Structures are given as structure tokens and as C-alpha cells.
Amino acid sequence: MNRAVPESAARRCAQELARGRVAVVPGSARATCAANIALVKYWGKRDETLNLPVAPSLSVSTGTWGSTAEIAVLPDAAGDKISLNGKQLPAESPFAVRLSRFLDLFRPDARFRFSVETANAMPTAAGFASSASGFAAVVVALDGLFGWGLRARELSILARLGSGSASRSIEPGFVEWRAGKRSDGMDSFGVRLDAEWPGFRLGAVVVSGAEKPMGSRAAMRHCKATSPFYGAWPPTVEKDLRTVRRAICARDMELLGATAEANALAMHALMLASRPSVFYPLPETLAAIRRVQELRAGGVPVWFTMDAGPNPKLLFEAGTERKLRTVFPKLEVLAPFDDLSQARA
Ligand code: PMV
């Protein structure tokens, strides 16, 4: 190995999984992965370099909303060539810097350069984490390019090194990210649940496309260090995870919705209590949440979840969509299980 490639725990992990498998094939490789929304949230790392979580989490994929990555080897280039949604990015742009650092984990030698074209099939302002689907798609494309032939859980480990929630975007459907116990993270990966729910729907209520005040990495570190409620988070997650798994098996929307909503609110409560407070909701967020509560009080089965941003995501079944559209006319509705066969192919 060329010593000039920066050595790190993450690179050691990447090299270990790919060892003996590197067989560069000429040409390029392309992959698409769906994004995901956590029903039981990931909030807090036990290892910041390897993105190892304090607790497990569980998500559902976002159907046709995801990212595509096309990767090729770039001979004789000074740097990687990275484009996003059809536009080539300056090497110093935050996205290009983050992706090039991630690609460092996989360069056979320090002079090795990649060309990466990524595109997101979701409105970037809708608050759907395109980093999860983006890193997952990059890893699956690298697997194709180098011919590693890794299994889903190994791809999940590599995607996790780019962004924690990307570990849940290698496979579609309901995915549980096992926290693991090992310090090298080899037991921390996403596992797809053997359950489908064709009528399950996600709705995006876009209240703001503005940049969030604090990114998830810094916010997690701050909350873990300063929130007086952080100690209650891991046991809350363990309990909610068991309940959500049960709700998925029984296709019990009320149990799933109520538990996912309570879990998201518990995460936001611990954020609010950190010092200084990490506060993502806007007035429009609270108005949307009130409308969900009123709908429910009127007998409409709808719940919400919310990540590190101001845009709530609605959780409901197909039969409720028409009613919700009268209250949220701009609702973007996603069917996580609609294109599973395509995603699996
Ligand atoms: O994977 P990250 O570092 O973008 O963190 C994601 C954190 C949340 O979206 C708030 C929760 C989750 O489980 O996706």
C-alpha cells in the first residue's frame, strides 16, 4: 500500500473488507439506493471516526426517492472529478471535500483518482437526507467498479463510514441498524426486516428549505455531552425498537405511528434540553404538528416523525392519503414498497 494515503481506523476497516478483492475493471459502475426515514432514531455516536451509534435504530426506505452514483477511474488527473445533479463541483466545495475524503478509504494508492457523478431524485429542500442514499449508492457503485462482490451487511458497514444513516440505505424496506459492541464496528450494520407493508405511506410536509442551524454530527456530540436527558435515550430506543418491530409484523399502524412519533419527540426533547439548546422546529413546524394532532382527534389515522430539521414526515396508510391532501395540499407522498422489486434487481 502506498504510505501517502492517510491511514485511519476507517481506512483500515475499508481495506479489511476489500482485502484480496481489489481487481480494478476498466470502465465505470453505477448504482441507485433509496433514502430512508428513521422510525426509531439514531442520535449519538460511541465512535465518531467509524460512525458507531450509541443505540440501534430502525428505518423505512423512501421508495423512488434516492440517489444514483456513477463512478469511473480517472487516469492522470490531479484530483477527483465530482458532479452533483449534472453540475461539476469545485474541489473545495463541502460536498466534494467530504466525498473525496470518503474515497480516500478506497484508493489503491495516493495518486488514484475517481470521477463520480451523483444525482438525487428528491427535492433537496424537502429534508430527506440525501447523504444516506448518496453514500450507499457510492459504496454499491465502488463494489461494482472494483468487483469486490461484498454482501449487503459489508456494504452497509462501508456506507456507515460515510454517514451513519447510510448503513440503512443499502437495502430497501424496513431496515434495522444494529448498534454492535465491537470497537472496529464489524458488528454494526443494517439488516433488512423480513416484512413488507405495501399500503404504508410517508408524506413530506415541507415547511422550510433553509439550511439547518447545526449539522447532525456536531449536534449529536453536543447533545450527548450536555443534555441532562441523554442517559434516558438508549433505554427508550431499545423499548421503542421492540414495539416498532412488533407493530411492523402485525401491520398495526396505530402502534407504529404512536411509537415512532413518541420516539421522535423524545429525541427532540433531549435536543431542546441540551445546553445551549439544539432547536430545529419553526413556527410552521408546530402549526403542521398541531394539524396532525387535530386530524387524529377527528379520527384520521396519521402520525408524524421529524429528523434534525424543521420538516415533519407523516406516517399513514394509503386509504388516508386523500383526506390528508385536503389539509396539506402540497404533501409529497412516497410509497416505500412500490418499487421494491426494482430496487432488489
Ligand atoms: O446519518 P446522519 O449523521 O445524517 O444522522 C442522522 C440523524 C437523524 O436523521 C436525525 C436520525 C436518523 O436515525 O436518521
Side-chain angles (χ1 to χ4, degrees), residues 39 174 192-201 242-259 301 303 316-318 337-338 340 344:
L39 301 170
F174 293 112
R192 181 170 174 203
L193 303 195
D194 185 16
E196 291 190 10
W197 190 336
F200 191 86
R201 295 289 179 270
R242 283 196 294 275
T243 311
V244 166
R245 262 195 234 121
R246 195 151 40 87
I248 289 170
C249 283
R251 292 200 187 164
D252 183 337
M253 191 63 223
E254 179 165 9
L255 186 62
L256 183 140
T259 312
W303 290 265
F316 55 97
E317 286 184 283
F337 293 87
D338 257 15
L340 275 193
R344 263 197 231 108

Side-chain angles (χ1 to χ4, degrees), residues 36 38 40-43 45 57 131 163-166 168 216-217 220 267 307-308:
N36 70 78
V40 179
K41 305 293 184 191
Y42 149 55
W43 198 250
K45 301 178 202 266
S57 55
S131 64
S163 163
S165 52
R168 300 186 308 235
S216 58
R217 174 173 291 266
M220 282 184 201
M267 177 181 77
D307 288 319

Side-chain angles (χ1 to χ4, degrees), residues 244-300:
V244 166
R245 262 195 234 121
R246 195 151 40 87
I248 289 170
C249 283
R251 292 200 187 164
D252 183 337
M253 191 63 223
E254 179 165 9
L255 186 62
L256 183 140
T259 312
E261 186 176 300
N263 182 269
L265 288 172
M267 177 181 77
H268 281 271
L270 82 83
M271 290 169 168
L272 296 184
S274 57
R275 302 178 184 202
S277 182
V278 173
F279 202 108
Y280 290 109
L282 296 171
E284 296 83 351
T285 313
L286 300 181
I289 289 175
R290 272 268 176 267
R291 284 204 292 278
V292 170
Q293 290 170 336
E294 283 159 12
L295 279 162
R296 215 157 57 218
V300 181

Side-chain angles (χ1 to χ4, degrees), residues 93-162:
S93 75
F95 179 79
V97 170
R98 187 171 174 197
L99 189 50
S100 270
R101 281 210 190 116
F102 182 64
L103 293 169
D104 283 347
L105 305 178
F106 307 101
R107 293 182 214 281
D109 66 65
R111 288 182 317 271
F112 196 96
R113 297 285 174 253
F114 295 96
S115 130
V116 187
E117 288 177 19
T118 61
N120 297 327
M122 72 267 261
T124 23
F128 276 93
S130 53
S131 64
S133 48
F135 280 105
V138 164
V139 163
V140 178
L142 285 169
D143 185 65
L145 183 75
F146 287 122
W148 294 327
L150 295 178
R151 292 174 301 161
R153 61 180 52 181
E154 295 164 325
L155 296 171
S156 169
I157 289 173
L158 296 181
R160 189 199 73 224
L161 300 174

Side-chain angles (χ1 to χ4, degrees), residues 46-47 50 52-56 160 177-189 238:
R46 66 181 165 89
D47 182 307
L50 297 173
L52 296 176
V54 167
R160 189 199 73 224
W177 174 12
R178 296 187 185 154
K181 287 197 165 65
R182 289 173 56 152
S183 58
D184 65 2
M186 290 301 186
D187 56 354
S188 182
F189 46 76
E238 293 286 352

